[in-house]
Amino acid sequence: MIVAIDGPAASGKGTLARRIAAHYGLPHLDTGLLYRAVAVKLIHRTMLDDAEAGAEEARRLDPAGLNDPELRSEAAGAGASVVSAYPQVRQALVEFQRRFAATPPGAVLDGRDIGTVICPDAEVKLYVTASAEERARRRALELRARGETVDEAEILADIRARDARDMGRTSAPLKPAEDAVHLDTTELDADAAFAAAIAIVERRT
Ligand code: C5P
């Protein structure tokens, strides 16, 4: 079984993907980490604007490095949103993602183009959303819990800018697959969102 989960930044899709994977005993791939890893490599080389260098980093990406806490930083996320618009970078990451998904017994992948480009034949496709304000509130809570000082208005502006970039790019823009089931988590807590997602998976399989 392949479960494809897409949605905008801070929509809760990552937490959902992890919990669904654990529930069904499937491996999980947070595909945003791949773009974050490429971005961090380029940031270290001060080459964030070089698409070819990005593709090269993507081709020699070591999956063992995806646990690096630096990938979780806001800078890595912003950089990922830049490099993910480079078609060469996206192309260089397709194979790895498809192989991960196709390995038995299947997998849960979350990102922006899983249901549309990476796994168009996935048994289950979820498109997870929440209002930009709610996503900013959640992101602020998460950062405060990590001890960071946050400006919620700034976070909201960042989220809106990221949405515009992810949805507006020409290469694999963020959009729901035609056969994706939409799950709006604005009014749901994590447990309610998980229960709703499991109900969708059960209906689809
Ligand atoms: O989900 P996360 O915030 O880690 O993703 C970081 C950035 O990577 C996103 O803003 C998006 O631009 C990009 N991304 C993508 N395709 C994916 C996963 C992430 O373009 N499948």
Side-chain angles (χ1 to χ4, degrees):
M1 171 167 82
I2 297 175
V3 181
I5 306 183
D6 292 301
S11 57
K13 63 183 188 313
T15 305
L16 269 183
R18 246 188 325 276
R19 290 184 65 175
I20 293 170
H23 184 80
Y24 291 106
L26 293 170
H28 165 228
L29 180 63
D30 170 356
T31 63
L33 288 177
L34 304 173
Y35 296 91
R36 286 170 180 260
V38 171
V40 165
K41 296 272 187 202
L42 289 185
I43 291 168
H44 288 166
R45 295 170 63 189
T46 55
M47 291 178 89
L48 194 61
D49 56 355
D50 190 327
E52 277 312 323
E56 195 186 292
E57 293 291 357
R59 280 191 289 271
R60 59 167 183 240
L61 199 70
D62 177 5
L66 296 178
N67 291 322
D68 184 349
E70 188 183 356
L71 303 189
R72 309 270 171 199
S73 71
E74 291 298 290
S81 161
V82 174
V83 303
S84 67
Y86 302 150
Q88 302 94 313
V89 170
R90 304 202 70 86
Q91 191 51 43
L93 294 173
V94 166
E95 255 326 290
F96 174 77
Q97 296 174 82
R98 289 202 176 136
R99 220 176 317 120
F100 188 96
T103 307
V108 179
L109 286 83
D110 73 277
R112 303 292 189 288
D113 64 340
I114 309 305
T116 51
V117 175
I118 304 297
C119 301
D121 299 326
E123 281 82 0
V124 185
K125 295 182 187 178
L126 274 174
Y127 191 76
V128 183
T129 57
S131 71
E133 290 76 11
E134 175 61 17
R135 288 184 283 135
R137 198 187 63 80
R138 290 177 191 167
R139 181 54 58 86
L141 273 177
E142 197 183 305
L143 292 172
R144 282 197 190 105
R146 278 198 237 155
E148 294 180 32
T149 321
V150 297
D151 175 346
E152 207 168 312
E154 202 177 297
I155 293 177
L156 179 58
D158 282 351
I159 280 186
R160 291 209 162 110
R162 181 99 63 97
D163 285 356
R165 266 203 304 277
D166 289 350
M167 292 174 185
R169 70 183 175 220
T170 33
S171 184
L174 168 65
K175 64 169 184 212
E178 268 175 31
D179 51 350
V181 180
H182 292 240
L183 177 58
D184 184 337
T185 69
T186 307
E187 308 281 339
L188 304 179
D189 65 18
D191 286 340
F194 175 62
I198 291 293
I200 294 167
V201 176
E202 296 292 327
R203 244 190 289 130
R204 282 282 171 134
T205 50

